[in-house]
Amino acid sequence: MKRWLLLGIAVVAVLGLTFGGVVVLLTPDHRTTFLVDASESPDFGEVADAVGAAASNMSADDSLALRRFGGTCDSPDTAELVTPATGQAVKIGDSARAITPRGKATLLSGVLAAIDDFARTYPLRGSATNRVVVIARGGADACGKNADEVRTIIKQHTDKAGVKIDFRFVGHRLTADQVKVLGEIAAATDAQSPRITKTSGELVTTMKEISVPADLVAQEVKTFKACETVTLEVLQPLHPVKDDQQRPALLTEFDCRQDRYVLARANIAPAIPGIWLPVVFEFRDQAWHFVDAHNEMSCGTVPLEVWQQWDAGCVPDPVVCREGEARVADVSGKLGCGAAIEMADRYQAAINAGQTDGENLGWISGEWACSRQVLGPPLQCTRTDNGAQIEIGAG
């Protein structure tokens, strides 16, 4: 055999061994895709934060990806926001919080796209586990295929991918009917029954539990409680509140809830007992962060049940139910958009029919009292029995 042929065979063999070694070295043990329901939702922040917490709870050696879904049945919208790679838990959390919720829940299209992601040769699949963690919020699926159709379509895509994918489903704040549909889709992927959560605290805990690969020993899971890590010394340098001498205000006490939220007191007048300012902190991405400080604080992303546990009030952020000149906003967050729009349309009909009183367009219907406002949005209605309030018209 000629020398050049022997040399060629040797080179090919070396290259093959080198390539094989690189593939083995780069192949992760575990690959996980977070599939997020990004359909329109007033409390999507809870979902985004839970995804970030779950990603931060996983090993830096795990390959992580993020995909969203939501749109219309005619044009389902799903996109891979973060491609699979190791060491990108922070990127997963930041990308989830940057999502703008829109459209309806199109879970099936998201599941199929997530399966197809694993059909590609690169990024490399996990050698031990390949998982899709699904979090459904705006409903299970708005497009109405029956269970047999769903199972058939999912099997076609799974067979094409050629890899065993472990699906885990979480349903957050779903109705009974939505839970049923979610269960049917989970069954079509041969997954366990969906985990159902009602509060943000439950969601964070559940997402952490189901995201960690099952073959990891319990000691590898970060089980510490965030409330056990917080002290006045930890919080003091995190807040920007100044006292009456423009010095950093001293925090004097705090109350931690759901292993995630802290309400502290900043002493803003050291010489006068009892003069203090509420300060809120939140635990995310494995660290405590300042959120807000104000006497009339916005409820923000802190759940109402936490404010109730603190025995503290907050000002809810208005939920805009309709935009434009006929804008309707649920100011109190107590109604829901359906009831808010119905009440606004009834009041507008009364105005058009000349049924209101005086220049301020006063109108009373049952527990509701409506009138024109001097400042702010032109029209406002308040329910006298529970304080629910809506604003009508562009400000």
Side-chain angles (χ1 to χ4, degrees):
M1 185 177 292
K2 295 182 179 180
R3 179 181 297 178
W4 64 266
L5 182 58
L6 292 174
L7 180 61
I9 293 173
V11 169
V12 170
V14 170
L15 290 175
L17 291 172
T18 302
F19 177 76
V22 169
V23 169
V24 171
L25 181 64
L26 295 181
T27 299
D29 290 337
H30 308 283
R31 174 174 159 181
T32 298
T33 293
F34 291 99
L35 181 58
V36 179
D37 181 352
S39 58
E40 188 172 357
S41 170
D43 51 4
F44 177 76
E46 294 182 7
V47 172
D49 288 345
V51 170
S56 297
N57 192 57
M58 300 174 73
S59 169
D61 294 329
D62 289 356
S63 178
L64 304 181
L66 175 67
R67 175 174 282 278
R68 65 175 297 282
F69 66 86
T72 67
C73 297
D74 294 332
S75 180
D77 181 9
T78 179
E80 190 177 51
L81 304 180
V82 180
T83 57
T86 58
Q88 54 182 8
V90 173
K91 185 177 182 181
I92 294 285
D94 290 344
S95 297
R97 295 185 188 96
I99 292 174
T100 300
R102 61 179 182 271
K104 297 181 179 180
T106 56
L107 173 57
L108 180 57
S109 67
V111 167
L112 297 180
I115 295 172
D116 292 344
D117 290 341
F118 283 89
R120 302 195 298 259
T121 303
Y122 187 84
L124 298 173
R125 302 166 180 172
S127 60
T129 64
N130 294 280
R131 175 172 295 182
V132 175
V133 176
V134 184
I135 177 166
R137 169 61 189 92
D141 193 281
C143 299
K145 291 186 181 297
N146 64 48
D148 290 337
E149 290 177 308
V150 169
R151 181 176 290 277
T152 298
I153 296 171
I154 288 178
K155 186 177 186 305
Q156 291 172 348
H157 284 253
T158 302
D159 290 346
K160 182 179 178 181
V163 63
K164 170 62 178 175
I165 301 175
D166 179 16
F167 276 88
R168 300 295 175 90
F169 289 83
V170 179
H172 185 55
R173 300 186 190 273
L174 299 183
T175 65
D177 289 340
Q178 291 168 342
V179 170
K180 181 181 178 182
V181 175
L182 183 63
E184 292 173 350
I185 293 179
T189 65
D190 295 324
Q192 302 173 358
S193 296
R195 299 278 294 273
I196 306 302
T197 60
K198 296 294 185 182
T199 69
S200 59
E202 290 177 357
L203 179 59
V204 170
T205 300
T206 300
M207 285 293 290
K208 287 183 177 181
E209 289 176 354
I210 70 170
S211 299
V212 175
D215 64 338
L216 294 184
V217 295
Q219 289 85 346
E220 291 181 317
V221 182
K222 301 171 187 175
T223 58
F224 69 84
K225 294 183 178 297
C227 283
E228 295 175 355
T229 71
V230 63
T231 64
L232 291 175
E233 289 73 19
V234 168
L235 300 177
Q236 182 65 39
L238 302 180
H239 75 90
V241 180
K242 305 291 185 181
D243 66 14
D244 53 7
Q245 302 296 319
Q246 293 305 302
R247 300 169 302 193
L250 183 66
L251 296 182
T252 58
E253 59 182 88
F254 67 89
D255 184 1
C256 186
R257 298 286 175 172
Q258 292 189 0
D259 279 322
R260 184 172 175 188
Y261 304 102
V262 162
L263 179 65
R265 292 187 175 191
N267 189 351
I268 57 174
I272 307 175
I275 304 298
W276 53 274
L277 190 70
V279 187
V280 170
F281 300 87
E282 180 181 358
F283 189 81
R284 61 179 185 272
D285 297 333
Q286 305 302 304
W288 287 100
H289 300 268
F290 167 77
V291 175
D292 198 7
H294 202 278
N295 278 320
E296 294 186 359
M297 204 174 302
S298 167
C299 297
T301 60
V302 181
L304 290 178
E305 64 261 26
V306 174
W307 290 102
Q308 294 168 356
Q309 291 166 0
W310 283 334
D311 193 23
C314 65
V315 179
D317 296 328
V319 177
V320 177
C321 301
R322 189 166 64 197
E323 298 280 6
E325 291 297 321
R327 179 182 183 273
V328 176
D330 178 6
V331 178
S332 61
K334 298 179 180 179
L335 289 174
C337 282
I341 291 175
E342 179 185 2
M343 188 62 220
D345 289 345
R346 286 178 55 204
Y347 181 33
Q348 190 62 59
I351 294 174
N352 295 339
Q355 298 172 353
T356 56
D357 183 24
E359 292 184 358
N360 73 339
L361 302 178
W363 184 69
I364 296 177
S365 176
E367 302 295 335
W368 285 95
C370 304
S371 64
R372 186 201 304 271
Q373 302 300 298
V374 177
L375 300 174
L379 306 172
Q380 188 177 87
C381 292
T382 303
R383 190 177 172 99
T384 57
D385 57 345
N386 64 6
Q389 192 174 82
I390 61 174
E391 294 177 342
I392 308 162

